[in-house]
Amino acid sequence: MSVRWETEGLQTVGIVCLVLMFLKLMHLLGLIDITETADSSDSDLELSTVRHQPEGLEQLQAQTKFTKKELQSLYRGFKN
């Protein structure tokens, strides 16, 4: 019976490690921002998603030589 408890404990530790490594990777890739809360007694982490801000439409037109309608169509297709 103790072998089963040890195995379950190791599985739990492994899962926690994988989740923490995944969160760290997401942070390193800039996909999430991990910040500590203002209350120092609360050790929970606050996660927020980083949103991409597209470049200006005129700048994209100048760089790519696409028309405004073509760029809008491409962007709508990308979002879908």
Side-chain angles (χ1 to χ4, degrees):
M1 188 121 166
S2 72
V3 172
R4 189 182 83 176
W5 285 107
E6 290 175 12
T7 304
E8 288 177 5
L10 287 175
Q11 288 175 345
T12 303
V13 169
I15 291 170
V16 169
C17 288
L18 284 173
V19 168
L20 291 174
M21 287 190 303
F22 177 75
L23 289 173
K24 182 64 176 177
L25 177 62
M26 297 288 284
H27 175 70
L28 290 174
L29 292 174
L31 299 175
I32 59 172
D33 182 26
I34 302 174
T35 57
E36 291 189 34
T37 57
D39 186 7
S40 60
S41 65
D42 189 10
S43 63
D44 294 339
L45 293 178
E46 183 180 308
L47 302 177
S48 65
T49 307
V50 177
R51 293 186 58 131
H52 174 70
Q53 201 67 312
E55 296 181 30
L57 193 55
E58 293 80 21
Q59 184 180 359
L60 287 172
Q61 282 180 276
Q63 289 175 344
T64 63
K65 306 298 185 212
F66 282 113
T67 65
K68 181 179 177 178
K69 282 192 167 201
E70 289 171 325
L71 287 170
Q72 288 174 331
S73 176
L74 287 169
Y75 186 67
R76 281 192 195 106
F78 168 75
K79 283 179 29 177
N80 289 336

